[in-house]
Each structure stands twice: as C-alpha cells, then as structure tokens.
Amino acid sequence: MDAELQKAVTGLGEAREKLRDEVATPLRARRDRFPEADEHLLLGALAAVVESLEEIALVAVERRSTHFTSSPAKVAHDNLGRASERLREAERQSGRQAEGRAGLNA
C-alpha cells in the first residue's frame, strides 16, 4: 500500500478506536441525561468530527483512482455535509435555549 494512504488508513483506525474507548464507551456507561446547559457543547464537538470526516471524504472524491470509488465517496461527502449542518443548527438552538434558561435563573 502507498505510504501516504497507509498513514491515513492507520490514523483513521486509531482515531476510531480512541473515539470508541474514550468517548462512546464512557457515554454509554452513564444512563442519566446530559445537563441541558451543556448539550450544545457535545453537539458542537460531534459536528466538528463529522466535518472532519466530510473533508476526508472529499479528498477521497478528488484523489480517487476509479469511478467505482468516486460515487460512494461523493454520497458520503454529501451526507456528512448535511449531517454536520443539522448538528450545527442543533448546537445553535441548544445554545440559545441554554442562554435563555440561564437568563431566567439570573
């Protein structure tokens, strides 16, 4: 495998494992709801990860070797873009709600 591609594949695998071990598993371990005032922080962090994946999918489209890889990568890029937009909107809404509630409690 090409050294540059191997580095990318390895890095993505390591990132996946780290996200699973340090984020998903601890979040699943607790069953209580997130504090409403902090929800926007998680949504923003999740949106940032999705945006990074969107960027990687775009590189896959731009640097593809065959048309067989282009279509799935383009679909993934488009879907990730829509997902990140939705997450960013949810982040904004959640942040506004948190600010509104903080103002009521002040």
Side-chain angles (χ1 to χ4, degrees), residues 1-2 9 19 26 32 39 43-46 53 57 61 64-65 68 72 76 84 92-93 95 104:
M1 180 185 301
D2 174 76
V9 169
L19 285 169
D32 53 327
E39 254 181 358
L43 291 166
L46 184 55
L53 292 173
V61 171
R64 76 200 187 302
S65 295
F68 297 111
S84 67
R92 285 188 290 275
Q93 289 177 357
L104 292 174

Side-chain angles (χ1 to χ4, degrees), residues 1 5 12 20 25 30 35 49 57 62 65 68 87 92 104:
M1 180 185 301
L5 185 58
L12 286 169
R20 179 181 288 141
T25 299
R30 292 185 56 187
V49 170
E62 292 171 344
S65 295
F68 297 111
L87 286 165
R92 285 188 290 275
L104 292 174

Side-chain angles (χ1 to χ4, degrees), residues 50-60 77:
V50 173
E51 289 163 353
S52 294
L53 292 173
E54 177 188 10
E55 183 178 354
I56 294 166
L58 180 59
V59 171
H77 173 262

Side-chain angles (χ1 to χ4, degrees), residues 9-102:
V9 169
T10 300
L12 286 169
E14 291 171 355
R16 179 177 177 252
E17 289 300 317
K18 187 169 184 165
L19 285 169
R20 179 181 288 141
D21 293 345
E22 296 181 16
V23 180
T25 299
L27 286 177
R28 276 195 203 109
R30 292 185 56 187
R31 295 292 178 202
D32 53 327
R33 294 183 182 270
F34 298 116
E36 213 172 319
D38 298 335
E39 254 181 358
H40 68 285
L41 300 172
L42 179 60
L43 291 166
L46 184 55
V49 170
V50 173
E51 289 163 353
S52 294
L53 292 173
E54 177 188 10
E55 183 178 354
I56 294 166
L58 180 59
V59 171
V61 171
E62 292 171 344
R63 296 193 53 199
R64 76 200 187 302
S65 295
T66 68
H67 73 281
F68 297 111
T69 58
S70 179
S71 179
K74 178 71 173 120
V75 169
H77 173 262
D78 294 345
N79 288 338
L80 288 164
R82 285 190 292 278
S84 67
E85 289 170 6
R86 288 185 180 123
L87 286 165
R88 288 294 182 195
E89 181 55 32
E91 174 192 21
R92 285 188 290 275
Q93 289 177 357
S94 179
R96 283 192 298 269
Q97 288 177 345
E99 288 174 5
R101 283 185 176 70

